[in-house]
Amino acid sequence: MGESKKQEEINQLLYKYASEGKTVVRLKGGDPYVFGRGEEECAYLVEKGICCEVVPGVSSAFAVPAYAGIPVTSRWMSSGVTVLTAVRSTGEVIDLDYVPKKGTLVILMGVHVADRLKEQLLKVRPAGEPVAVIENGTLPGQRVFVSTLEKLDVVVRENKVRAPAIFIVGEVVKLRSALTR
Amino acid sequence: MGESKKQEEINQLLYKYASEGKTVVRLKGGDPYVFGRGEEECAYLVEKGICCEVVPGVSSAFAVPAYAGIPVTSRWMSSGVTVLTAVRSTGEVIDLDYVPKKGTLVILMGVHVADRLKEQLLKVRPAGEPVAVIENGTLPGQRVFVSTLEKLDVVVRENKVRAPAIFIVGEVVKLRSALTR
């Protein structure tokens, strides 16, 4: 609820300054259109007659795996990548209709629901599928743990992984050893 | 075949200059780890003892939709996005195991197989699902066509769409009218 309030305030501030004739820059980390609320802010302004330009950014969904030595696609191992939030806006933990049987999964914001997430994913993915857990990706304190899907929750618990963290599920995790020294 | 040869030559050139003690920059459009061959080049070099650093870029998979006014995720409409190539390295047109039932699909390099792609996607997605075809995305000559999945091939044919083009499948296509003026 607190977050919703804040978003509404941001929208109003953007509108306030823009309607005073100012050029307003809303600077975000990552890509504003990849789980970035850019759509909400832009739709709010456009409806009020304010023109918006959205400049794409480098999404953490692809950049964090890259800095951990994991390419999200691979010519030989994965011809697709799916980016998901672990918890939907409805509060529900991952809807399996969003999860393909094959290809890389990049799962955002899953630390607090790692156990339920694992249970769900095991319904459509093999228990032995490689998994990487990346905490504080790209930052000096980055930690990377490689395991298998059946141990996802254990890895998170035993290493006291804290948000922000990204989970990668898929064969591409195996490439890490070939791409880092 | 021509392309494979060229990739091998690129790998060798990277190695040649690096082994002469030079710092080599391999500059790519988009993100080197999102269908970018970065993995192949990096693995080749690491195996030969050359250190690599991969700097993530802005992927066309997200940036092209953004410039066409389409966010690939939406708090209300799509809590996931899948990026796929239309044709796999094996030559096969899209493997449905890579296609989730819900969420946004961003399909790269599909112009020449639009008819077969449509047939495949109709096995898992509704005929009336919104589709956008973006030709020359982000460039001055950009063209955007909005339709439904059942007409994907017709849209491509009637408008003589040529590569490079990206297809977007999903409810988020409807947001375009709210996000552009």
Side-chain angles (χ1 to χ4, degrees):
Chain A
M1 289 291 280
E3 203 184 347
S4 303
K5 183 78 172 341
K6 207 178 152 204
Q7 184 62 54
E8 181 61 21
E9 277 169 19
I10 291 166
N11 292 352
Q12 286 165 3
L13 279 174
L14 291 171
Y15 176 66
K16 177 175 176 284
Y17 293 118
S19 59
E20 288 169 7
K22 291 177 172 129
T23 300
V24 183
V25 175
R26 166 77 166 120
L27 196 61
K28 285 174 180 275
D31 188 305
Y33 273 175
V34 181
F35 303 112
R37 301 290 187 93
E39 152 231 357
E40 288 168 74
E41 294 172 13
C42 194
Y44 180 91
L45 294 169
V46 168
E47 202 218 329
K48 291 183 178 294
I50 308 285
C51 286
C52 284
E53 182 185 7
V54 176
V55 179
V58 175
S59 173
S60 62
F62 293 161
V64 166
Y67 274 102
I70 300 168
V72 290
T73 68
S74 156
R75 189 162 166 78
W76 311 115
M77 286 182 174
S78 178
S79 52
V81 54
T82 299
V83 183
L84 296 160
T85 49
V87 180
R88 304 182 62 196
S89 57
T90 54
E92 175 194 6
V93 170
I94 219 160
D95 177 346
L96 289 181
D97 283 348
Y98 283 87
V99 181
K101 286 184 203 144
K102 289 187 188 166
T104 308
L105 306 178
V106 178
I107 302 172
L108 311 176
M109 298 173 272
V111 171
H112 301 297
V113 292
D115 50 349
R116 281 187 289 158
L117 189 63
K118 181 196 85 170
E119 278 171 34
Q120 281 286 85
L121 290 175
L122 282 175
K123 292 176 187 168
V124 287
R125 296 287 187 132
E129 189 152 20
V131 161
V133 173
I134 308 168
E135 182 192 64
N136 285 320
T138 79
L139 299 176
Q142 170 178 297
R143 295 196 297 163
V144 183
F145 305 99
V146 171
S147 186
T148 52
L149 182 55
E150 65 197 329
K151 292 180 193 148
L152 174 62
D153 54 337
V154 177
V155 167
V156 167
R157 199 165 52 242
E158 288 189 348
N159 296 289
K160 297 184 169 54
V161 173
R162 300 177 66 171
I166 277 181
F167 301 157
I168 305 170
V169 181
E171 293 297 310
V172 290
V173 169
K174 289 183 187 166
L175 289 169
R176 185 168 191 247
S177 56
L179 297 174
T180 53
R181 295 163 55 83
Chain B
M1 292 290 280
E3 204 184 346
S4 303
K5 182 74 172 343
K6 206 175 153 204
Q7 184 61 55
E8 182 60 21
E9 276 168 20
I10 291 165
N11 291 353
Q12 286 166 0
L13 279 174
L14 292 170
Y15 176 66
K16 176 175 178 284
Y17 292 118
S19 59
E20 286 169 10
K22 291 176 172 131
T23 300
V24 183
V25 176
R26 165 78 166 121
L27 195 62
K28 285 174 181 277
D31 189 303
Y33 273 175
V34 181
F35 303 112
R37 303 290 186 92
E39 152 231 359
E40 288 170 72
E41 294 172 12
C42 194
Y44 180 91
L45 294 170
V46 168
E47 202 218 329
K48 291 184 179 294
I50 307 286
C51 287
C52 285
E53 182 185 6
V54 176
V55 179
V58 175
S59 174
S60 63
F62 294 161
V64 166
Y67 273 103
I70 301 168
V72 290
T73 69
S74 156
R75 190 162 165 76
W76 310 115
M77 286 183 175
S78 178
S79 52
V81 53
T82 299
V83 183
L84 297 161
T85 49
V87 180
R88 303 181 65 198
S89 57
T90 53
E92 177 193 6
V93 170
I94 218 160
D95 178 346
L96 289 181
D97 283 348
Y98 283 86
V99 182
K101 286 184 201 143
K102 288 186 188 167
T104 309
L105 306 179
V106 178
I107 302 172
L108 312 176
M109 298 173 273
V111 171
H112 300 298
V113 293
D115 50 349
R116 280 188 290 159
L117 188 63
K118 181 195 86 169
E119 278 172 34
Q120 281 288 84
L121 291 175
L122 283 175
K123 292 176 186 167
V124 287
R125 295 289 185 133
E129 189 153 21
V131 161
V133 174
I134 309 169
E135 182 192 64
N136 285 320
T138 80
L139 299 176
Q142 171 179 297
R143 295 195 298 163
V144 183
F145 305 99
V146 171
S147 185
T148 52
L149 182 55
E150 65 197 329
K151 292 181 194 147
L152 175 61
D153 53 336
V154 177
V155 167
V156 167
R157 200 165 48 241
E158 287 188 348
N159 296 290
K160 296 185 170 54
V161 173
R162 300 176 67 171
I166 277 181
F167 302 157
I168 305 170
V169 181
E171 293 297 311
V172 291
V173 169
K174 289 183 186 165
L175 289 169
R176 186 167 192 247
S177 55
L179 297 174
T180 54
R181 294 165 54 86

